[in-house]
Amino acid sequence: AQSVTQPDIHITVSEGASLELRCNYSYGATPYLFWYVQSPGQGLQLLLKYFSGDTLVQGIKGFEAEFKRSQSSFNLRKPSVHWSDAAEYFCAVGGGTASKLTFGTGTRLQVTL
Amino acid sequence: NAGVTQTPKFRVLKTGQSMTLLCAQDMNHEYMYWYRQDPGMGLRLIHYSVGEGTTAKGEVPDGYNVSRLKKQNFLLGLESAAPSQTSVYFCASRNGPLYEQYFGPGTRLTVT
């Protein structure tokens, strides 16, 4: 069965500092991997996705993520965090004909000024 | 395009009442999904559909039914609501395995 672990429930960083959110997955085949962001009271917005090819993927809002098959990880990074990045971030893995996604439990990011 | 819309946005039910949540998408997507989001548990898949007239169970289907009579609509029904079904419900759609899921704004349901 597929699963996703986001080990950090809550992270606080200062504005301008770098950010790395961890994501580990379990999947029996080549995974499709996603990072979504959710602002309070809102739906989920896709930040970036990995299907194949280059293991470093670029997304919106200056985010990037690196797929490491040997570590079963897909960590999200940003070099310099802005106060508007405060939100909850979800990693998800999926694939197969039904394209079902399994989500992690999320990491809440707080940004201090 | 409106994308994915959900009706209603908020609802309060008493235990035992029934209701239907409507999800509509105008992107001609084949695949549609219903999730529930609870604090500390991420999103969990309730039911999904891979095309008009088809539905399948997800991770937490008990207490819910769905129908996909039209390609653009995916209905989620609660026949007899329970307090454990208090949650935020999200609908999503996608065009196929190599595409992202697009999410609606959510429905906040409280069962008292």
Side-chain angles (χ1 to χ4, degrees), chain A residues 47-83:
Chain A
L47 284 176
L48 47 79
K49 61 191 176 189
Y50 172 79
F51 290 146
S52 65
D54 193 347
T55 57
L56 184 63
V57 293
Q58 303 296 321
I60 62 171
K61 304 184 181 185
F63 286 92
E64 67 178 25
E66 186 171 11
F67 171 58
K68 293 186 177 180
R69 184 186 298 275
S70 62
Q71 298 178 20
S72 297
S73 69
F74 189 56
N75 293 349
L76 182 71
R77 300 193 294 249
K78 187 170 184 178
S80 178
V81 170
H82 188 262
W83 64 266

